[in-house]
Amino acid sequence: MPPSEHDHSSVFDTDTAVAQVAPTTFAARLTDRWHIGDKPNGGYVLATVVRAMQHAIHASSAGAHPDPLTVTGHFLRPSEAGPAEIEVSIARIGRQLATVSATFTQGDKERVRAIGTFGDLGAFVAKGARTDVALVPPALPPAQECIARPPFANPQLPSIADQVTTLLHPETGWLRGQPTGRGEVRGWLGFADGRPPDTLSLPLFADAMPPAVFELLAGAGWVPTVELTVHVRGRPSAGMLRGVFRTRNLRDGLLEEDGELWDADGHLVAQSRQLAMLLD
Amino acid sequence: MPPSEHDHSSVFDTDTAVAQVAPTTFAARLTDRWHIGDKPNGGYVLATVVRAMQHAIHASSAGAHPDPLTVTGHFLRPSEAGPAEIEVSIARIGRQLATVSATFTQGDKERVRAIGTFGDLGAFVAKGARTDVALVPPALPPAQECIARPPFANPQLPSIADQVTTLLHPETGWLRGQPTGRGEVRGWLGFADGRPPDTLSLPLFADAMPPAVFELLAGAGWVPTVELTVHVRGRPSAGMLRGVFRTRNLRDGLLEEDGELWDADGHLVAQSRQLAMLLD
């Protein structure tokens, strides 16, 4: 069975599809349906790269390493809607872990360079090794009491807000132009078309919320990601995810954003951290 | 001026030295002086890779990007004392940022694959962009009231404990065989030979403390790093660093470790996160 069997009813699966054109070369086609402003969201691009990595590993390991355990993308320049080529380089296919890197190129310009280690989260569960989680899920009112992410400047244009349902905590201050100053956003996240989350989609969700720095200070503008790392720590159950993202270290215009994604069963399924630049 | 002018009086500079043997190919030689048990510490290996990255970027950018802003290493298999080859691949040399990846190989076996984005932290400071840091340095008694990291099983063998002075908080429970259960270690860190910390050495310090999981549960054994990401957020002042490292998400034998390194002036100079495996 190929990895992440393509489901034609899901926008995410359609828009991150890759076609193998050589043993480690994949063709993709970004759509404009995951835009932030006029550029594809970085998490969407990274998820497409991760799918190509997953296919390349699958072909070399007979499906032994289905889950991205830790993936990092460095964003060299914005991507565009349209065709792309992903070249995967295999570092090691081991018994428990498989590591690859990849380049994502459009029109002779590399846009993203990435690295990832994959494994089988089901096999880790089956070993019965220790679990001890001190973190707790973010408190959130029921989804119907939360506030849908507001449309972007031009709501006529397609955007990630059409594909990722984002229901923010009602006390989110920047929704009223009054950031709390705490540098934290939290809310419910899910695919608008009802596709359940899986490990492949967690890198997308880790970059899909409005930036936490919007809650830290008023007037924050564009916050381009320099690097995003996502640890996928569990296979999410069906249902909406709870996300919390925090910026606690803004220094000289560079900032970190730390994220947690919790599934409907209360399990911490991903931890993310990005380095971003705050452009005034 | 070449990057990180080699200081023959510093063990760190000597033991991470690289020689350019082709435009993007570097020769290195790991020593046994940074061992954990019988293998080189991962942070030491990563610092050596970062030095090669720094040289390759320097050669392509006339020294415009001296600081590693975010570096990630994936550890494929243990490294060994002895010769190594580092091959750097340049993704983009931009105006503000430069991104490269690298492979670290010994004896035809790749040991580490890495990626990093470099820049000039001094230029970010000079722009006068915003700073807002909500995190606070870890509370620590003066160094003379802290406890030196105990020797490894065989104190006759060389180890990282000889090169990195590590003074742990006196309440560290595992020193007495009684982990606190909080999954946190904190202490003072510095080079034993007095070399001041710099941005190149922070990836080493980010992996130099005893694992935080030692404070979470008794009987934790080997904790090999799968992936380590270090954000270098400031140039450290002279003096010892304060480090705090936390594991709050141990699940099915995989764990994260989040670290902060603070300089003697009370600035947060690095944030790190690693994914590691707990082997019983």
Side-chain angles (χ1 to χ4, degrees):
Chain A
M1 187 182 76
S4 302
E5 187 68 64
H6 190 145
D7 175 354
H8 287 282
S9 68
S10 148
V11 180
F12 176 73
D13 291 303
T14 300
D15 288 2
T16 59
V18 296
Q20 192 169 19
V21 295
T24 58
T25 308
F26 297 84
R29 179 175 289 274
L30 299 185
T31 76
D32 63 4
R33 298 195 276 196
W34 307 81
H35 271 25
I36 300 278
D38 63 348
K39 301 294 181 193
N41 166 261
Y44 163 52
V45 183
L46 183 59
T48 305
V49 174
V50 171
R51 191 186 289 276
M53 290 174 162
Q54 189 188 49
H55 275 261
I57 291 169
H58 178 85
S60 300
S61 73
H65 306 292
D67 301 301
L69 302 184
T70 168
V71 294
T72 291
H74 287 241
F75 297 87
L76 311 173
R77 46 175 70 86
S79 298
E80 311 281 349
E85 185 173 283
I86 301 164
E87 181 66 37
V88 178
S89 163
I90 292 174
R92 186 181 185 208
I93 306 283
R95 189 177 54 83
Q96 279 200 104
L97 302 173
T99 301
V100 299
S101 55
T103 60
F104 176 92
T105 303
Q106 294 183 298
D108 292 337
K109 282 197 171 164
E110 187 177 344
R111 314 294 174 124
V112 178
R113 187 166 293 198
I115 185 168
T117 291
F118 288 62
D120 182 346
L121 284 170
F124 282 98
V125 173
K127 284 197 296 185
R130 298 204 218 192
T131 293
D132 191 324
V133 181
L135 298 167
V136 295
L140 273 177
Q144 62 271 21
E145 296 173 25
C146 290
I147 299 173
R149 176 187 192 141
F152 292 89
N154 185 343
Q156 307 304 314
L157 296 177
S159 89
I160 191 172
D162 302 323
Q163 306 305 333
V164 176
T165 301
T166 308
L167 303 171
L168 299 167
H169 194 291
E171 290 170 9
T172 306
W174 73 267
L175 292 170
R176 301 182 296 274
Q178 297 173 319
T180 60
R182 285 193 300 110
E184 178 182 305
V185 294
R186 51 175 72 185
W188 299 93
L189 287 163
F191 285 116
D193 63 7
R195 179 197 190 277
D198 60 5
T199 58
L200 188 69
S201 60
L202 293 176
L204 167 76
F205 287 114
D207 194 39
M209 287 273 274
V213 72
F214 285 6
E215 263 314 60
L216 182 63
L217 41 84
W222 192 240
V223 192
T225 303
V226 174
E227 170 261 322
L228 169 63
T229 294
V230 182
H231 290 187
V232 173
R233 302 298 305 278
R235 293 182 181 161
S237 57
M240 289 193 84
L241 300 165
R242 272 175 288 182
V244 57
F245 295 83
R246 301 177 179 101
T247 290
R248 290 169 291 196
N249 183 20
L250 167 62
R251 184 167 178 191
D252 304 320
L254 289 166
L255 59 92
E256 109 289 19
E257 184 177 275
D258 269 8
E260 299 169 9
L261 292 168
W262 297 79
D263 75 3
D265 291 342
H267 290 123
L268 180 54
V269 291
Q271 289 178 285
S272 66
R273 178 174 286 166
Q274 67 173 264
L275 182 70
M277 297 178 64
L278 178 64
L279 304 184
D280 289 322
Chain B
M1 187 182 77
S4 301
E5 188 67 65
H6 189 144
D7 176 355
H8 287 281
S9 67
S10 148
V11 180
F12 176 73
D13 292 301
T14 300
D15 288 1
T16 58
V18 296
Q20 192 170 21
V21 295
T24 58
T25 307
F26 297 83
R29 180 176 289 274
L30 299 185
T31 76
D32 63 4
R33 297 195 277 195
W34 307 82
H35 271 23
I36 300 279
D38 62 349
K39 301 294 180 191
N41 165 262
Y44 163 53
V45 184
L46 183 59
T48 305
V49 174
V50 171
R51 190 186 290 276
M53 291 175 161
Q54 189 188 47
H55 275 261
I57 291 170
H58 178 84
S60 300
S61 74
H65 306 293
D67 301 302
L69 303 185
T70 168
V71 295
T72 290
H74 287 241
F75 297 86
L76 311 174
R77 46 174 71 84
S79 298
E80 310 282 348
E85 184 174 282
I86 302 165
E87 180 66 37
V88 179
S89 162
I90 292 175
R92 185 180 184 209
I93 307 283
R95 189 177 55 82
Q96 279 200 104
L97 303 173
T99 302
V100 299
S101 56
T103 59
F104 176 92
T105 303
Q106 294 182 297
D108 292 336
K109 282 198 171 164
E110 186 177 344
R111 314 294 173 125
V112 179
R113 187 166 292 199
I115 184 169
T117 291
F118 288 62
D120 182 345
L121 284 169
F124 281 99
V125 173
K127 285 197 295 184
R130 299 205 218 193
T131 292
D132 192 325
V133 181
L135 298 167
V136 295
L140 274 177
Q144 62 270 25
E145 296 173 24
C146 290
I147 300 173
R149 178 187 191 140
F152 293 89
N154 184 344
Q156 306 304 317
L157 296 177
S159 89
I160 191 172
D162 302 323
Q163 306 305 332
V164 177
T165 301
T166 307
L167 303 171
L168 298 166
H169 193 294
E171 291 171 9
T172 305
W174 73 266
L175 292 170
R176 301 182 295 273
Q178 298 172 319
T180 60
R182 285 193 299 111
E184 177 182 305
V185 295
R186 52 175 70 185
W188 299 93
L189 287 163
F191 284 115
D193 63 8
R195 179 197 190 277
D198 60 5
T199 58
L200 188 71
S201 60
L202 293 175
L204 166 77
F205 288 112
D207 196 38
M209 288 272 275
V213 73
F214 285 6
E215 251 334 47
L216 183 63
L217 40 85
W222 194 238
V223 192
T225 302
V226 175
E227 171 260 322
L228 169 62
T229 294
V230 182
H231 290 186
V232 173
R233 302 298 304 279
R235 293 183 180 159
S237 56
M240 290 194 84
L241 300 164
R242 274 174 287 182
V244 57
F245 294 83
R246 301 179 178 100
T247 290
R248 292 170 290 196
N249 184 20
L250 167 62
R251 184 167 176 191
D252 304 318
L254 289 166
L255 59 93
E256 109 289 19
E257 183 177 274
D258 270 8
E260 299 169 9
L261 292 168
W262 298 78
D263 75 3
D265 291 342
H267 291 123
L268 179 54
V269 291
Q271 289 178 286
S272 67
R273 177 174 287 166
Q274 67 172 265
L275 183 70
M277 296 178 66
L278 178 64
L279 304 184
D280 289 323

